[in-house]
Amino acid sequence: MAENLIDEIKRRQLELLGHQRLYHAEDAPEISDETYDQLARELEGLEAQLDPQHPLKRQSPLGKVGANPQRGFATVAHERPMLSLANIAGQASVHQFGERLASQLELKGAQAQGLRYAVDLKFDGLALSLRYRAGRLVMAATRGDGTLGEDVTANVEAARIVPLKINENNILGNEFEVRGEVFMARSDFKQLNANQQARGEKTFANPRNAAAGTMRQLDSSVAALRPLRFFAYDLFIGPSALAQQPSTHSQQLDALKRAGFPVCDIRCAEASIDQVIAFIDRAETARSDLDFDIDGVVVKLESLTLQEQLGYLARTPRFAVAYKWPSEQAMTRLVAIECQVGRTGAVTPVARLEPVRVGGVLVTNATLHNEGEIARKDLWLGDTVWVRRAGDVIPEVVAAVPELRPKDAKRFVMPSHCPVCQGVLERPAEEAVWRCVSGFSCSAQRVQALLHFAHRRALNIEGLGERLAEQLVERGMVRHLADLYKLTEADLLRLDRMGLKLARKLLDEIADSRTASLARFIFGLGIRHVGEKTAKDLALFFGRFDALRQASLEQLTQAPDVGPVVAQSIQRFLSTPALLAELDLLLECMNLQNPASEQAQSSLVNGPPNLFFGKTVVLTGELQFYSREQAQAIIESLGGRVTGSVSKRTDLLLAGQNAGSKLDKANSLGVTVIDEESFLGAIPPTERDHE
Ligand code: IVH
């Protein structure tokens, strides 16, 4: 047993040491901070079972703060150790921290309540110690292992992120030390990565790695060119300084700011525990809007005297803690890339990831947008990747870690055919996205089309969600949108998780949708580039669906906000052969509410309103003045559509002499009938010249 424990501890110590080296010395961590903390806690638990004098305890990586200094830089001994902070999380832990301090200071009741705290943001970068003598920067060092750091003075000077010389009225005294964090702003980081990529050079996984990687460059001209920043968070001054020495942490930061050091203004001074908690909440909300990464806040006792009184443990001060949020970025494995087919046929590659917690949420998938994105990020199947999730943003694969690419990793190849219907994929030269052009005959598109059609802002069929749409399509119950209107109670009851009440409710919803407005119907069709607003504009402009259907490109572009791209998309949709039949079937089911027709017609710039605009007209009998062909041409030039047979959808029947069965049918269906004289009266003079 003991033997096993010793072996296990040795193995885990080595493992942790490896991760420490990767993080601190190579800026290339392979596990997330959470996983590291978890491993450290587990090792701590095992080591607790050892005799306190056991040699394994002395060599434990848990006792080391950072990594050993790197070769290449001179080593600097810190005047006072650069420590670490204990981590806490959750509101209760903040109260516990306050209670612990009060008890250690032997304060009770109002005195305990009276303790005041300073809260700073915890910047996600690299800690620096800056020593000044006679107003000049004489040494800049990284934390290293906490006792010995690396001399990065040349880089700090080159980066111009801190005052190299303090102005004449130096308030900080002859000798002082400033500590703070060097980091890179998110916007600068993006720009840097774009530049690196353009030059074919290595990109960085996150701003922290970019900042740390830059600081560790032996050639200081690199730091001179990279957009680094610095925030000071600690000050150690000699007795000769400031006439009035700061007595609190916040006063120290104020003094640093006056002396010309960058100090973050988002902080909280003289706070009670409740104010600390309120600040933490605000900071968490603001986190994703900041232009720099933070991974938490640092809560400290304000009073420097009380800080000294409390003192230090081996690696951490007693008077301060880091309140940490879950990291917004984590590492995981890219297991597979699958292609999803959307409503408009767009084929989107989606990353299937080994589940990983990012920003407190378990992430298993992330969109990869398109083929080009995968190539740009050089993602291979099997790669270790960084995944990011900031605020409410959908998870995103940031970058691969090429050093960890397994031998059997494979490049992703975009499929040549639709993964769902095996139909052809097309990609217009100017576009990044491949599309399946099978339309409604592709079941993936049918499900999405159905969902869009039923959407709250389209036909508003409540209860028709993803699971139901999938079942309806998979079981072949809905092959066309029109099939929705043929569903019966018995059909619905065959579906999973469907009871009588739900089925009836759904049928009512479907029935109600027949009388939707024209605008909702147009939107519900899911025509590419036709959003809710365009659909409304089109409905108002054309007044009737048929008018929209027959509109020429030119007429379409006369509608508000419709340019050539939208117009073409509408026309392509409305003239796709498979969709024509689909639409006819659907329109048979609908009883759309058209907007006030005068408004619609008068808005057409193309000539005055006329009887035929947007109408479906049937001709029958013998005409005296025109041939059938001439009459049809006139009606079409006025924006009408001529069809061969009379149905419910016929608006007008033009009946000449000796009209027969079509006239009877029109009368029985209540279709308006006009004779040739009314026809002549209804056509504008310019059209009459056809004679
Ligand atoms: S105070 C005893 N304030 O967090 C150390 N640290 O885990 C007192 N850090 O090494 C540090 N922002 O690199 C402090 N506002 C802040 C900080 C901060 C980031 C880092 C720093 C330190 C680590 C502590």
Side-chain angles (χ1 to χ4, degrees):
M1 178 65 196
E3 206 54 359
N4 282 348
L5 178 70
I6 302 287
D7 285 350
E8 182 66 12
I9 291 176
K10 276 187 191 158
R11 192 185 64 73
R12 284 175 174 256
Q13 284 186 343
L14 281 175
E15 184 185 359
L16 215 63
L17 264 175
H19 289 306
Q20 285 186 345
R21 186 180 47 76
L22 285 165
Y23 184 91
H24 290 287
E26 296 181 19
D27 304 314
E30 289 177 5
I31 54 171
S32 68
D33 291 359
E34 270 93 2
T35 314
Y36 177 87
D37 290 346
Q38 173 71 26
L39 290 176
R41 271 195 303 274
E42 285 170 11
L43 178 59
E44 208 167 24
L46 294 175
E47 285 184 5
Q49 299 173 43
L50 293 175
D51 182 291
Q53 300 309 318
H54 199 287
L56 272 182
K57 274 223 150 162
R58 259 179 286 129
Q59 71 168 50
S60 173
L62 292 176
K64 298 196 167 64
V65 173
N68 295 326
Q70 265 204 319
R71 273 176 295 139
F73 285 107
T75 302
V76 198
H78 295 302
E79 276 180 3
R80 42 189 87 66
M82 288 185 81
L83 299 174
S84 179
L85 288 171
N87 293 336
I88 60 167
Q91 260 192 29
S93 68
V94 183
H95 285 290
Q96 279 162 13
F97 172 61
E99 284 155 18
R100 171 171 67 74
L101 293 192
S103 124
Q104 284 169 341
L105 292 166
E106 296 178 357
L107 300 175
K108 287 211 176 79
Q111 275 190 315
Q113 297 297 315
L115 281 178
R116 285 296 168 259
Y117 303 86
V119 196
D120 298 325
L121 299 181
K122 189 168 185 301
F123 316 109
D124 201 6
L126 189 76
L128 286 185
S129 149
L130 309 169
R131 272 190 244 160
Y132 286 81
R133 206 156 287 154
R136 282 177 188 278
L137 175 74
V138 288
M139 173 64 68
T142 63
R143 184 166 67 169
D145 66 3
T147 309
L148 299 175
E150 302 137 3
D151 176 353
V152 289
T153 316
N155 281 346
V156 171
E157 283 173 352
R160 304 244 147 212
I161 45 177
V162 294
L164 303 182
K165 188 171 174 293
I166 311 296
N167 52 30
E168 291 90 68
N169 47 356
N170 174 10
I171 46 174
L172 300 177
N174 193 41
E175 250 182 66
F176 62 92
E177 182 186 346
V178 176
R179 288 185 182 172
E181 201 87 351
V182 58
F183 63 96
M184 199 176 280
R186 288 175 175 166
S187 50
D188 291 335
F189 164 73
K190 269 199 193 127
Q191 188 59 51
L192 170 67
N193 258 1
N195 296 345
Q196 292 283 103
Q197 190 156 32
R199 285 196 300 261
E201 285 172 27
K202 174 187 165 195
T203 55
F204 297 94
N206 53 44
R208 200 206 86 88
N209 286 9
T214 305
M215 266 298 130
R216 293 233 168 75
Q217 292 284 330
L218 288 170
D219 174 0
S220 60
S221 66
V222 178
L225 295 171
R226 298 245 177 103
L228 294 172
R229 296 193 195 196
F230 179 85
F231 275 143
Y233 54 64
D234 226 345
L235 170 67
F236 302 91
I237 43 180
S240 67
L242 287 176
Q244 212 181 355
Q245 292 257 353
S247 65
T248 65
H249 171 71
S250 296
Q251 288 173 13
Q252 282 188 324
L253 295 189
D254 294 341
L256 279 167
K257 193 166 177 181
R258 267 182 276 134
F261 287 89
V263 172
C264 181
D265 288 328
I266 308 173
R267 58 190 166 101
C268 185
E270 296 291 336
S272 66
I273 280 289
D274 287 338
Q275 287 168 328
V276 169
I277 291 172
F279 178 83
I280 293 175
D281 282 350
R282 286 202 302 280
E284 186 168 12
T285 314
R287 184 183 184 193
S288 52
D289 294 331
L290 295 175
D291 192 27
F292 51 87
D293 285 349
I294 55 174
D295 55 355
V297 300
V298 177
V299 188
K300 285 180 183 163
L301 261 188
E302 271 286 26
S303 158
L304 300 181
T305 319
L306 291 183
Q307 284 190 5
E308 280 313 307
Q309 205 177 317
L310 277 165
Y312 302 81
L313 294 168
R315 286 173 292 129
T316 58
R318 284 204 186 88
F319 55 80
V321 283
Y323 183 103
K324 294 237 286 191
W325 297 302
S327 94
E328 290 182 313
Q329 193 159 319
M331 246 182 205
T332 189
R333 216 170 69 84
L334 175 60
V335 181
I337 297 179
E338 283 169 17
C339 285
Q340 277 179 358
V341 185
R343 175 170 56 82
T344 57
V347 178
T348 311
V350 176
R352 301 280 176 233
L353 305 165
E354 226 157 64
V356 61
R357 290 199 86 76
V358 193
V361 170
L362 197 69
V363 172
T364 48
N365 302 320
T367 174
L368 295 170
H369 304 289
N370 56 55
E371 188 188 18
E373 185 87 359
I374 299 175
R376 249 190 318 282
K377 291 182 175 163
D378 192 29
L379 303 178
W380 293 40
L381 303 169
D383 264 348
T384 297
V385 291
W386 281 102
V387 179
R388 191 183 134 79
R389 195 184 152 275
D392 293 334
V393 182
I394 332 160
E396 172 194 24
V397 175
V398 185
V401 187
E403 302 84 56
L404 297 182
R405 179 164 292 153
K407 286 207 176 61
D408 58 353
K410 290 195 181 58
R411 274 183 190 279
F412 169 72
V413 184
M414 192 73 190
S416 57
H417 286 80
C418 172
V420 178
C421 74
Q422 314 309 322
V424 202
L425 299 187
E426 282 179 6
R427 181 168 71 109
E430 71 282 6
E431 286 189 20
V433 172
W434 286 91
R435 280 173 206 279
C436 163
V437 291
S438 311
F440 283 137
S441 59
C442 169
S443 67
Q445 287 176 68
R446 222 178 305 146
V447 171
Q448 295 303 323
L450 191 55
L451 281 170
H452 182 78
F453 188 72
H455 190 273
R456 192 171 42 80
R457 293 205 303 275
L459 282 280
N460 193 20
I461 306 177
E462 207 188 312
L464 209 174
E466 204 163 327
R467 276 184 51 86
L468 196 69
E470 274 169 10
Q471 285 191 70
L472 290 172
V473 168
E474 269 166 26
R475 298 182 184 209
M477 291 160 80
V478 173
R479 285 185 216 280
H480 307 281
L481 288 175
D483 294 341
L484 204 54
Y485 295 93
K486 302 201 177 67
L487 290 172
T488 63
E489 212 171 87
D491 288 337
L492 289 180
L493 286 172
R494 293 211 308 272
L495 301 176
D496 299 344
R497 296 211 216 152
M498 178 63 70
L500 193 59
K501 209 167 142 197
L502 205 60
R504 287 192 179 151
K505 167 104 177 51
L506 192 62
L507 288 175
D508 283 348
E509 288 281 334
I510 295 174
D512 284 352
S513 72
R514 289 177 191 265
T515 51
S517 68
L518 176 60
R520 282 176 176 270
F521 181 77
I522 297 175
F523 175 57
L525 291 177
I527 306 170
R528 218 177 139 208
H529 303 306
V530 178
E532 210 179 346
K533 160 93 172 58
T534 310
K536 276 188 187 144
D537 287 346
L538 289 169
L540 211 58
F541 189 77
F542 288 101
R544 297 176 54 90
F545 190 71
D546 278 336
L548 169 69
R549 203 172 187 181
Q550 285 146 24
S552 63
L553 267 185
E554 215 183 335
Q555 285 173 321
L556 283 167
T557 48
Q558 283 165 11
D561 286 339
V562 174
V565 174
V566 182
Q568 259 168 28
S569 169
I570 298 171
Q571 219 176 40
R572 200 175 307 137
F573 185 94
L574 294 173
S575 60
T576 307
L579 291 182
L580 288 181
E582 176 91 27
L583 269 175
D584 280 337
L585 284 169
L586 187 58
L587 286 163
E588 293 280 339
C589 307
M590 309 304 294
N591 179 16
L592 298 175
Q593 305 302 299
N594 299 322
S597 57
E598 308 85 69
Q599 189 187 354
Q601 283 198 13
S602 65
S603 60
L604 192 76
V605 194
N606 226 9
N610 69 75
L611 189 64
F612 304 105
F613 184 79
K615 302 279 165 68
T616 303
V617 187
V618 175
L619 308 182
T620 189
E622 296 151 19
L623 300 176
Q624 305 291 301
F625 293 91
Y626 296 110
S627 69
R628 280 271 183 98
E629 291 71 54
Q630 282 175 327
Q632 178 166 351
I634 292 172
I635 293 169
E636 285 175 348
S637 73
L638 293 172
R641 189 168 84 119
V642 176
T643 59
S645 58
V646 176
S647 75
K648 273 195 299 189
R649 292 185 35 241
T650 308
D651 296 301
L652 276 177
L653 180 77
L654 169 54
Q657 302 286 301
N658 304 323
S661 62
K662 287 188 187 172
L663 179 58
D664 296 340
K665 186 156 184 205
N667 283 329
S668 71
L669 289 172
V671 171
T672 310
V673 178
I674 56 164
D675 59 16
E676 194 170 9
E677 210 179 305
S678 319
F679 176 56
L680 287 173
I683 53 180
T686 44
E687 296 297 335
R688 252 182 259 150
D689 292 342
H690 269 272
E691 252 177 291

